[in-house]
Protein backbone atom coordinates (compact mmCIF):
# COMPACT_ATOMS: atom_id res chain seq x y z
CA UNK A 1 0.00 0.00 0.00
CA UNK A 2 1.20 3.48 -0.89
CA UNK A 3 0.52 6.14 1.76
CA UNK A 4 0.94 9.83 0.92
CA UNK A 5 0.49 12.80 3.24
CA UNK A 6 -0.63 15.99 1.53
CA UNK A 7 -1.74 19.55 2.18
CA UNK A 8 -3.59 22.04 0.01
CA UNK A 9 -3.22 25.82 -0.34
CA UNK A 10 -4.59 27.87 2.56
CA UNK A 11 -7.47 29.25 0.49
CA UNK A 12 -8.77 25.74 -0.29
CA UNK A 13 -12.31 25.02 0.96
CA UNK A 14 -12.54 28.50 2.45
CA UNK A 15 -9.54 27.94 4.77
CA UNK A 16 -11.32 24.91 6.28
CA UNK A 17 -8.88 22.27 5.01
CA UNK A 18 -6.06 21.22 7.36
CA UNK A 19 -4.32 18.12 5.99
CA UNK A 20 -4.98 14.71 4.50
CA UNK A 21 -3.64 11.27 3.73
CA UNK A 22 -4.10 9.22 0.57
CA UNK A 23 -4.10 5.40 0.68
CA UNK A 24 -3.54 3.48 -2.58
CA UNK A 25 -3.87 -0.31 -2.22
CA UNK A 26 -1.59 -2.56 -4.29
CA UNK A 27 -4.49 -4.37 -5.99
CA UNK A 28 -5.87 -1.20 -7.58
CA UNK A 29 -6.22 -1.06 -11.35
CA UNK A 30 -5.91 2.72 -11.70
CA UNK A 31 -3.55 4.16 -9.08
CA UNK A 32 -4.37 7.72 -10.19
CA UNK A 33 -8.15 7.52 -9.93
CA UNK A 34 -8.71 4.87 -7.24
CA UNK A 35 -7.80 5.58 -3.63
CA UNK A 36 -9.01 6.20 -0.08
CA UNK A 37 -8.67 9.70 1.36
CA UNK A 38 -8.64 10.70 5.00
CA UNK A 39 -9.00 14.47 5.41
CA UNK A 40 -9.01 16.68 8.50
CA UNK A 41 -10.91 19.94 8.11
CA UNK A 42 -13.21 22.42 9.87
CA UNK A 43 -16.92 22.41 9.11
CA UNK A 44 -18.90 25.59 8.35
CA UNK A 45 -19.10 26.50 12.06
CA UNK A 46 -15.40 25.88 12.72
CA UNK A 47 -15.71 22.46 14.36
CA UNK A 48 -13.07 19.90 13.37
CA UNK A 49 -14.41 16.94 11.38
CA UNK A 50 -12.82 14.02 9.54
CA UNK A 51 -13.72 12.96 6.01
CA UNK A 52 -13.16 9.41 4.81
CA UNK A 53 -13.63 9.10 1.06
CA UNK A 54 -13.59 5.85 -0.92
CA UNK A 55 -13.07 6.68 -4.61
CA UNK A 56 -12.95 4.45 -7.68
CA UNK A 57 -12.96 6.28 -11.02
CA UNK A 58 -15.84 8.77 -11.01
CA UNK A 59 -17.67 7.00 -8.20
CA UNK A 60 -17.03 7.94 -4.58
CA UNK A 61 -18.51 7.72 -1.10
CA UNK A 62 -17.64 10.56 1.24
CA UNK A 63 -18.29 9.87 4.93
CA UNK A 64 -17.95 12.47 7.70
CA UNK A 65 -16.72 11.37 11.14
CA UNK A 66 -16.80 13.12 14.48
CA UNK A 67 -13.80 12.47 16.75
CA UNK A 68 -15.87 9.95 18.69
CA UNK A 69 -16.84 8.10 15.50
CA UNK A 70 -13.23 8.12 14.32
CA UNK A 71 -12.14 6.48 17.58
CA UNK A 72 -14.85 3.82 17.21
CA UNK A 73 -13.83 3.22 13.57
CA UNK A 74 -10.23 2.57 14.63
CA UNK A 75 -11.51 0.14 17.29
CA UNK A 76 -13.55 -1.58 14.56
CA UNK A 77 -10.47 -1.89 12.33
CA UNK A 78 -8.42 -3.21 15.25
CA UNK A 79 -10.96 -5.95 16.00
CA UNK A 80 -11.26 -6.83 12.31
CA UNK A 81 -7.46 -7.06 12.04
CA UNK A 82 -7.29 -9.40 15.03
CA UNK A 83 -10.03 -11.57 13.52
CA UNK A 84 -8.20 -11.72 10.18
CA UNK A 85 -5.12 -13.25 11.79
CA UNK A 86 -7.10 -15.66 13.94
CA UNK A 87 -9.08 -16.73 10.84
CA UNK A 88 -12.33 -15.62 12.49
CA UNK A 89 -13.18 -12.83 10.04
CA UNK A 90 -16.36 -13.40 8.11
CA UNK A 91 -18.26 -10.13 7.77
CA UNK A 92 -17.71 -7.13 10.07
CA UNK A 93 -19.90 -4.01 9.81
CA UNK A 94 -19.37 -0.52 11.17
CA UNK A 95 -22.41 1.79 11.05
CA UNK A 96 -21.70 5.52 10.96
CA UNK A 97 -25.31 6.64 10.80
CA UNK A 98 -28.47 5.47 9.09
CA UNK A 99 -27.70 4.62 5.48
CA UNK A 100 -23.91 4.77 5.91
CA UNK A 101 -21.64 1.89 6.89
CA UNK A 102 -18.31 0.24 6.21
CA UNK A 103 -18.10 -3.53 5.71
CA UNK A 104 -15.02 -5.73 5.90
CA UNK A 105 -15.32 -9.29 4.60
CA UNK A 106 -12.86 -12.11 4.00
CA UNK A 107 -12.07 -13.14 0.42
CA UNK A 108 -9.53 -15.87 1.19
CA UNK A 109 -6.70 -16.55 3.62
CA UNK A 110 -4.62 -13.68 2.23
CA UNK A 111 -7.06 -11.00 1.10
CA UNK A 112 -10.14 -9.16 2.33
CA UNK A 113 -12.57 -6.58 0.98
CA UNK A 114 -13.29 -3.24 2.63
CA UNK A 115 -16.44 -1.60 1.28
CA UNK A 116 -18.12 1.75 2.00
CA UNK A 117 -21.90 1.80 1.61
CA UNK A 118 -23.91 5.00 1.33
CA UNK A 119 -27.64 5.24 0.76
CA UNK A 120 -28.82 7.93 -1.65
CA UNK A 121 -31.91 10.14 -1.64
CA UNK A 122 -33.80 7.55 -3.71
CA UNK A 123 -32.82 4.81 -1.18
CA UNK A 124 -30.47 3.18 -3.68
CA UNK A 125 -27.13 2.10 -2.26
CA UNK A 126 -23.78 3.21 -3.64
CA UNK A 127 -20.93 0.81 -2.85
CA UNK A 128 -17.23 1.53 -3.32
CA UNK A 129 -14.79 -1.20 -2.33
CA UNK A 130 -11.09 -2.08 -2.29
CA UNK A 131 -9.21 -5.35 -1.91
CA UNK A 132 -6.61 -5.31 0.88
CA UNK A 133 -4.00 -7.84 1.81
CA UNK A 134 -3.67 -8.65 5.51
CA UNK A 135 -0.50 -6.56 5.64
CA UNK A 136 -2.23 -3.58 4.01
CA UNK A 137 -5.03 -3.66 6.58
CA UNK A 138 -2.31 -3.45 9.24
CA UNK A 139 -0.65 -0.51 7.48
CA UNK A 140 -4.00 1.28 7.14
CA UNK A 141 -4.73 0.70 10.83
CA UNK A 142 -1.30 1.92 12.01
CA UNK A 143 -1.54 5.08 9.83
CA UNK A 144 -5.02 6.01 11.08
CA UNK A 145 -3.96 5.30 14.68
CA UNK A 146 -0.98 7.63 14.26
CA UNK A 147 -3.23 10.34 12.82
CA UNK A 148 -5.70 9.95 15.67
CA UNK A 149 -2.84 10.19 18.18
CA UNK A 150 -1.76 13.50 16.62
CA UNK A 151 -5.33 14.80 16.72
CA UNK A 152 -5.63 13.99 20.44
CA UNK A 153 -2.28 15.61 21.27
CA UNK A 154 -3.21 18.80 19.41
CA UNK A 155 -6.59 18.99 21.18
CA UNK A 156 -4.86 18.57 24.53
CA UNK A 157 -2.50 21.41 23.68
CA UNK A 158 -5.43 23.65 22.78
CA UNK A 159 -6.98 23.30 26.25
CA UNK A 160 -6.53 26.30 28.60
CA UNK A 161 -3.61 26.19 31.06
CA UNK A 162 -1.96 23.28 29.29
CA UNK A 163 1.81 23.19 29.35
CA UNK A 164 3.36 23.13 25.87
CA UNK A 165 4.66 19.73 24.82
CA UNK A 166 7.95 19.74 22.98
CA UNK A 167 8.35 17.60 19.85
CA UNK A 168 10.50 15.14 21.80
CA UNK A 169 7.72 14.65 24.35
CA UNK A 170 5.14 14.12 21.60
CA UNK A 171 7.44 11.56 19.95
CA UNK A 172 7.75 9.75 23.28
CA UNK A 173 3.95 9.56 23.57
CA UNK A 174 3.76 8.08 20.08
CA UNK A 175 6.63 5.67 20.84
CA UNK A 176 4.86 4.42 23.96
CA UNK A 177 1.69 3.80 21.92
CA UNK A 178 3.70 1.86 19.33
CA UNK A 179 5.20 -0.35 22.03
CA UNK A 180 1.70 -1.16 23.31
CA UNK A 181 0.74 -2.32 19.79
CA UNK A 182 4.05 -4.19 19.49
CA UNK A 183 3.43 -6.14 22.70
CA UNK A 184 -0.08 -6.99 21.51
CA UNK A 185 1.35 -8.27 18.21
CA UNK A 186 3.82 -10.43 20.15
CA UNK A 187 1.05 -11.87 22.31
CA UNK A 188 -0.91 -12.80 19.17
CA UNK A 189 2.24 -14.02 17.34
CA UNK A 190 1.36 -11.62 14.53
CA UNK A 191 4.64 -11.54 12.58
CA UNK A 192 3.55 -9.06 9.91
CA UNK A 193 2.22 -6.49 12.39
CA UNK A 194 5.31 -6.98 14.58
CA UNK A 195 7.63 -6.25 11.63
CA UNK A 196 5.55 -3.24 10.56
CA UNK A 197 5.59 -1.72 14.05
CA UNK A 198 9.28 -2.52 14.53
CA UNK A 199 10.09 -0.59 11.34
CA UNK A 200 7.97 2.35 12.50
CA UNK A 201 9.79 2.39 15.86
CA UNK A 202 13.16 2.19 14.06
CA UNK A 203 12.23 5.14 11.82
CA UNK A 204 11.16 7.19 14.83
CA UNK A 205 14.40 6.53 16.71
CA UNK A 206 16.76 7.28 13.81
Amino acid sequence: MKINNFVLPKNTLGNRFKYGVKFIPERTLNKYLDYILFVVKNDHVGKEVYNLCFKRGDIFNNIVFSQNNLEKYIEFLTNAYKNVFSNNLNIEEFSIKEGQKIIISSLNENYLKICSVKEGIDSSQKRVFFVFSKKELGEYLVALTALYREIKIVKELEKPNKCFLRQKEKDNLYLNALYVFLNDALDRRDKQMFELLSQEIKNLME
Side-chain angles (χ1 to χ4, degrees), residues 13-77:
L13 301 178
N15 291 324
R16 286 159 43 195
F17 179 87
K18 291 187 175 182
Y19 58 87
V21 180
K22 179 187 286 187
F23 301 91
I24 307 174
E26 286 295 325
R27 294 175 71 87
T28 297
L29 294 177
N30 192 323
K31 297 186 185 299
Y32 295 100
L33 297 177
D34 303 343
Y35 46 76
I36 299 173
L37 291 182
F38 176 80
V39 173
V40 180
K41 67 176 188 177
N42 291 328
D43 64 14
H44 63 283
V45 295
K47 184 178 180 180
E48 189 170 88
V49 293
Y50 316 101
N51 279 22
L52 186 67
C53 181
F54 286 62
K55 181 181 179 299
R56 288 177 68 92
D58 296 329
I59 304 172
F60 66 91
N61 278 342
N62 187 54
I63 298 169
V64 179
F65 287 109
S66 64
Q67 184 178 338
N68 184 50
N69 267 346
L70 176 59
E71 183 174 352
K72 290 179 179 177
Y73 179 58
I74 291 172
E75 290 175 1
F76 162 75
L77 290 174

Side-chain angles (χ1 to χ4, degrees), residues 10-198:
K10 288 185 177 180
N11 61 351
T12 304
L13 301 178
N15 291 324
R16 286 159 43 195
F17 179 87
K18 291 187 175 182
Y19 58 87
V21 180
K22 179 187 286 187
F23 301 91
I24 307 174
E26 286 295 325
R27 294 175 71 87
T28 297
L29 294 177
N30 192 323
K31 297 186 185 299
Y32 295 100
L33 297 177
D34 303 343
Y35 46 76
I36 299 173
L37 291 182
F38 176 80
V39 173
V40 180
K41 67 176 188 177
N42 291 328
D43 64 14
H44 63 283
V45 295
K47 184 178 180 180
E48 189 170 88
V49 293
Y50 316 101
N51 279 22
L52 186 67
C53 181
F54 286 62
K55 181 181 179 299
R56 288 177 68 92
D58 296 329
I59 304 172
F60 66 91
N61 278 342
N62 187 54
I63 298 169
V64 179
F65 287 109
S66 64
Q67 184 178 338
N68 184 50
N69 267 346
L70 176 59
E71 183 174 352
K72 290 179 179 177
Y73 179 58
I74 291 172
E75 290 175 1
F76 162 75
L77 290 174
T78 302
N79 290 331
Y81 185 79
K82 290 177 180 178
N83 287 336
V84 163
F85 277 88
S86 60
N87 295 319
N88 290 327
L89 179 70
N90 187 13
I91 297 178
E92 305 273 352
E93 289 192 9
F94 177 73
S95 295
I96 297 95
K97 61 182 182 180
E98 187 175 354
Q100 293 184 11
K101 59 186 175 181
I102 293 174
I103 303 171
I104 296 180
S105 55
S106 178
L107 295 176
N108 55 42
E109 61 181 13
N110 296 315
Y111 290 95
L112 52 99
K113 181 171 74 173
I114 179 166
C115 178
S116 69
V117 180
K118 194 169 184 180
E119 197 170 279
I121 298 174
D122 58 356
S123 296
S124 63
Q125 286 188 342
K126 183 164 58 173
R127 293 172 174 257
V128 182
F129 73 89
F130 289 91
V131 174
F132 278 17
S133 66
K134 291 180 179 181
K135 180 181 178 182
E136 286 180 308
L137 181 61
E139 292 171 343
Y140 180 59
L141 173 59
V142 168
L144 283 183
T145 301
L147 285 165
Y148 180 63
R149 157 254 180 192
E150 290 288 347
I151 289 166
K152 290 188 72 174
I153 288 175
V154 169
K155 286 190 178 295
E156 283 296 313
L157 290 174
E158 289 174 347
K159 290 181 179 179
N161 304 319
K162 277 286 181 182
C163 296
F164 179 72
L165 284 177
R166 291 170 298 179
Q167 184 61 44
K168 184 177 179 181
E169 292 170 322
K170 290 194 288 183
D171 287 343
N172 284 336
L173 284 174
Y174 182 40
L175 188 61
N176 289 335
L178 288 175
Y179 277 119
V180 170
F181 280 108
L182 190 72
N183 288 332
D184 180 64
L186 271 174
D187 291 340
R188 293 184 289 105
R189 297 182 181 180
D190 185 341
K191 183 179 178 182
Q192 286 186 321
M193 179 59 89
F194 180 83
E195 291 175 349
L196 180 67
L197 291 167
S198 296

